[in-house]
């Protein structure tokens, strides 16, 4: 199995090349030429998350030695995840929370970004590459810290992270600006996430800059979900959720399970689609958006329109108007790189595009969508805690709200698994306010009060940020990302 670009099917690369390169030369995203089929019984009999990950990743990372994959997953998904890798928690009768925030940075990005550096280093070895890899990352909040933590002091790698100034919680910002390591850098970008992401994508598409860096023996790569190495590990936890439902006796082998995913860049939910294509009995994939509801509108109408007001919300990791991974889904639906290239060019030049009726019909056979504003998300946080003794963050609350609206509107009796993507203590002020409590100005005092009010301990990885010196305080314009990429 090889990979090719969503905008050029003629250029085939290996899994290692797709991960090392990150983005194709013309700006497209790498997709697999086919989908390997998992043996569901074999997958669900794996004794641990690490063993399950080794099995699934072994299928989607052809060319990587199986012994390496097994060792990498064992080292990644052990102690750092506190024994709760892929932990599925029942919430009520048909509703479950897949808690993906028990890793070292308290967000679901850890599942990919703790193993991705190992995949990159091994990929370079497999390709006989020895150049310096310079990783550029645009983040809406959680990816940045997870990438910094994963790549800290990895030999042969430098990493620069770009986040929207005033677009993250204080805790998210401090996670990045206090990061240690000799090979890391962090920059606040004036504007929103889309400005940062566009700036990074322009660097990857800049062929002259690529030649200049190559002369210095430097290669650009990405740790965003545009990279196959970010997306592939996220497929695993869909299988993990299914396995646990089997173990709990909630389903029988072959029964369908619905998933509701809070998403902005469409990567986390796309991983669920890939799991489905690999044979996991996924029923509906429900896309949950916040007030920036461009994906909701698209999945209902086929019209993608980024020409709209950008809102800063209490779920900042979803504050995105240009969802990069949707491009992959478009290719899988139409299997026409020229069509995808045309739509992406329309988005770049006109700010919108409309897919054809056949493509939309295929999408709607699999995906549903809904959106929730900040007030409704706050109501959901309160209702979840009061009614189910379950504490969740604003992103997860958005998904719970949309999931329950979906279940109320349909007759599906399938279990609904909500992907819980971040610890509530990353957003302590917003969660505390939603619970009807006074909110102190300082987020760390809010963290302490939230723990006291709910009797839920704050993760030490977050509480220990208080008082740590900030290493990075530079604010830049989006256009300066290119200049930074030139300076090593």
């Amino acid at each position: 199995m090889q990979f090719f670009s969503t905008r050029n099917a003629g250029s085939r690369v290996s899994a290692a090349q797709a991960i090392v390169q990150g983005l194709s030369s013309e700006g497209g995203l790498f997709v697999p030429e086919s989908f390997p089929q998992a043996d569901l019984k074999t997958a669900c009999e794996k004794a641990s998350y690490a063993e399950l990950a080794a099995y699934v990743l072994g299928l989607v990372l052809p060319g990587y030695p199986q012994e390496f994959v097994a060792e990498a997953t064992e080292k990644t998904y052990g102690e750092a995840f506190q024994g709760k890798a892929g932990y599925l928690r029942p919430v009520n009768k048909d509703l479950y929370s897949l808690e993906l925030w028990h890793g070292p940075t308290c967000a679901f990005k850890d599942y990919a970004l703790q193993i991705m550096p190992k995949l990159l280093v091994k990929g370079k070895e497999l390709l006989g590459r020895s150049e310096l890899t310079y990783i550029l990352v645009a983040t809406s909040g959680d990816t940045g810290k997870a990438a910094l933590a994963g790549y800290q002091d990895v030999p042969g790698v430098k990493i620069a992270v770009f986040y929207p100034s005033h677009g993250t919680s204080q805790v998210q910002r401090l996670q990045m600006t206090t990061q240690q390591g000799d090979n890391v850098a962090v920059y606040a970008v004036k504007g929103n996430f889309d400005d940062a992401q566009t700036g990074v994508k322009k660097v990857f598409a800049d062929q002259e800059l690529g030649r200049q860096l190559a002369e210095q023996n430097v290669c650009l790569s990405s740790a965003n979900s545009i990279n196959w190495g970010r997306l592939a590990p996220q497929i695993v936890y869909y299988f993990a959720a299914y396995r646990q439902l089997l173990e709990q006796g909630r389903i029988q082998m072959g029964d369908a399970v619905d998933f509701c995913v809070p998403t902005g860049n469409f990567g986390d939910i796309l991983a669920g689609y890939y799991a489905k294509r690999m044979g996991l009995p996924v029923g509906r994939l429900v896309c949950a958006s916040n007030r920036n509801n461009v994906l909701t509108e698209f999945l209902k109408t086929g019209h993608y329109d980024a020409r709209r007001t950008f809102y800063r919300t209490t779920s900042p990791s979803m504050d995105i108007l240009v969802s990069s991974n949707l491009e992959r889904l478009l290719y899988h639906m139409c299997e026409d790189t020229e069509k995808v290239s045309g739509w992406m060019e329309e988005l770049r030049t006109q700010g919108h595009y409309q897919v054809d009726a056949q493509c939309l019909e295929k999408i709607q056979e699999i995906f549903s969508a809904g959106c929730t504003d900040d007030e409704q998300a706050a109501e959901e946080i309160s209702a979840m805690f009061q009614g189910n003794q379950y504490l969740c963050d604003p992103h997860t609350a958005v998904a719970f709200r949309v999931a329950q609206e979906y279940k109320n509107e349909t007759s599906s009796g399938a279990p609904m698994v909500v992907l819980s993507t971040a610890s509530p203590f990353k957003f302590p002020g917003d969660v505390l306010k939603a619970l009807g409590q006074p909110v102190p100005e300082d987020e760390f005092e809010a963290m302490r009060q939230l723990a006291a009010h709910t009797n839920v301990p704050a993760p030490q990885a977050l509480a220990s940020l208080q008082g740590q010196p900030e290493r990075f305080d530079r604010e830049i314009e989006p256009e300066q990302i290119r200049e930074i990429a030139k300076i090593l």
Side-chain angles (χ1 to χ4, degrees):
M1 182 179 77
Q2 289 188 304
F3 297 78
F4 59 86
S5 168
T6 50
R7 305 183 195 182
N8 178 13
S11 178
R12 306 276 164 148
V13 300
S14 65
Q17 180 66 34
I19 290 171
V20 171
Q21 187 173 332
L23 202 65
S24 69
S25 58
E26 78 292 325
L29 280 64
F30 289 116
V31 292
E33 63 180 0
S34 61
F35 288 94
Q37 294 303 293
D39 184 295
L40 190 58
K41 185 174 184 293
T42 298
C44 292
E45 287 176 347
K46 297 300 179 183
S48 68
Y49 189 92
E51 291 181 12
L52 175 61
Y55 174 70
V56 174
L57 290 178
L59 295 174
V60 297
L61 297 175
Y64 278 84
Q66 189 60 43
E67 310 80 51
F68 161 78
V69 175
E71 182 181 359
T73 55
E74 187 64 35
K75 288 182 177 179
T76 300
Y77 299 115
E79 191 174 314
F81 285 79
Q82 308 171 63
K84 288 190 172 182
Y87 174 65
L88 185 71
R89 176 170 170 174
V91 176
N92 60 36
K93 182 183 177 183
D94 290 318
L95 189 64
Y96 295 80
S97 178
L98 183 59
E99 294 185 347
L100 300 175
W101 42 263
H102 293 290
T105 75
C106 304
F108 79 97
K109 310 295 177 71
D110 288 326
Y111 283 84
L113 286 166
Q114 285 294 304
I115 196 170
M116 191 178 174
K118 302 178 182 71
L119 300 178
L120 175 66
V121 170
K122 187 63 176 181
K124 289 173 68 175
E125 178 189 318
L126 293 171
L127 296 169
R129 305 268 290 263
S130 60
E131 75 275 22
L132 174 68
T133 301
Y134 193 19
I135 296 175
L136 305 182
V137 180
T139 181
S140 55
D142 290 330
T143 294
K145 172 59 181 178
L148 290 164
Y151 282 101
Q152 177 185 339
D153 295 330
V154 171
V157 174
K158 288 179 71 85
I159 179 170
V161 167
F162 304 91
Y163 71 92
S165 58
H166 313 294
T168 67
S169 74
Q170 181 187 356
V171 172
Q172 286 178 308
R173 179 180 63 78
L174 286 173
Q175 281 189 294
M176 292 183 281
T177 60
T178 60
Q179 176 67 44
Q180 298 300 303
D182 294 331
N183 65 334
V184 305
V186 179
Y187 302 90
V189 177
K190 294 178 182 177
N192 57 44
F193 169 77
D194 293 318
D195 297 316
Q197 179 170 248
T198 299
V200 167
K201 282 187 171 183
K202 285 181 178 178
V203 170
F204 280 108
D206 191 327
Q207 296 184 7
E208 176 58 31
L209 177 59
R211 284 191 290 270
Q212 293 175 16
L213 292 174
E215 291 173 359
Q216 303 175 51
N217 201 30
V218 175
C219 175
L220 291 175
S221 190
S222 171
N224 284 95
S225 55
I226 56 177
N227 191 311
W228 179 248
R230 257 290 306 277
L231 201 55
Q234 295 175 223
I235 299 170
V236 178
Y237 45 69
Y238 285 88
F239 281 87
Y242 196 89
R243 181 187 65 177
Q244 290 170 83
L245 288 170
L246 280 171
E247 291 173 348
Q248 295 171 17
R250 178 58 186 85
I251 60 172
Q252 295 182 351
M253 189 71 74
D255 288 350
V257 175
D258 297 331
F259 292 86
C260 184
V261 188
T263 188
N265 222 13
F266 209 74
D268 209 12
I269 195 167
L270 184 66
Y273 170 75
Y274 283 158
K276 181 180 179 71
R277 290 292 300 268
M278 292 174 66
L280 188 70
V282 174
R284 298 294 290 180
L285 287 165
V286 184
C287 177
S289 300
N290 61 19
R291 195 179 180 190
N292 294 295
N293 61 348
V294 63
L295 284 170
T296 304
E297 179 181 286
F298 171 76
L299 292 171
K300 292 184 175 182
T301 68
H303 184 217
Y304 195 100
D305 193 351
R307 304 167 301 175
R308 62 182 67 213
T309 302
F310 176 88
Y311 297 104
R312 298 191 188 277
T313 74
T314 58
S315 46
S317 295
M318 299 158 64
D319 290 348
I320 297 171
L321 294 182
V322 180
S323 302
S324 292
N325 272 289
L326 188 61
E327 181 173 343
R328 282 187 167 109
L329 180 69
L330 293 177
Y331 172 76
H332 294 307
M333 294 295 103
C334 72
E335 297 185 336
D336 186 331
T337 56
E338 289 189 11
K339 271 189 178 182
V340 174
S341 295
W343 289 327
M344 293 302 100
E345 182 63 15
E346 287 180 41
L347 181 62
R348 186 185 70 83
T349 59
Q350 302 175 33
H352 71 112
Y353 62 87
Q354 174 74 49
V355 301
D356 56 76
Q358 184 178 13
C359 181
L360 178 60
E361 183 180 357
K362 288 183 177 180
I363 291 172
Q364 291 178 341
E365 287 175 358
I366 303 166
F367 292 87
S368 297
C371 56
T372 297
D373 62 25
D374 284 355
E375 183 178 351
Q376 292 169 323
E379 291 173 357
E380 196 65 27
I381 290 171
S382 178
M384 277 288 148
F385 187 69
Q386 299 299 328
N388 300 287
Q389 292 74 55
Y390 189 78
L391 186 65
C392 66
D393 86 295
H395 303 76
T396 306
V398 167
F400 274 132
R401 183 82 170 211
V402 171
Q404 293 184 103
E405 288 176 351
Y406 169 80
K407 288 185 74 67
N408 290 338
E409 293 170 359
T410 66
S411 57
S412 172
M416 172 65 77
V417 175
V418 166
L419 272 61
S420 180
T421 53
S423 165
F425 288 93
K426 277 199 164 189
F427 314 93
D430 291 321
V431 176
L432 203 57
K433 181 179 179 182
L435 297 177
Q437 299 299 303
V439 181
E441 290 186 13
D442 180 72
E443 279 204 356
F444 292 98
E445 179 57 31
M447 197 181 293
R448 285 188 287 271
Q449 291 188 23
L450 179 60
H453 178 69
T454 61
N455 202 30
V456 176
Q460 183 60 26
L462 302 181
S464 63
L465 289 169
Q466 186 173 24
Q468 290 188 23
E470 294 190 57
R471 297 181 62 204
F472 306 101
D473 60 2
R474 184 179 173 189
E475 186 176 46
I476 64 170
E477 299 287 347
E479 296 76 19
Q480 292 177 269
I481 294 176
R482 186 185 188 278
E483 297 306 310
I484 288 168
K486 292 170 61 177
I487 302 171
L488 295 174

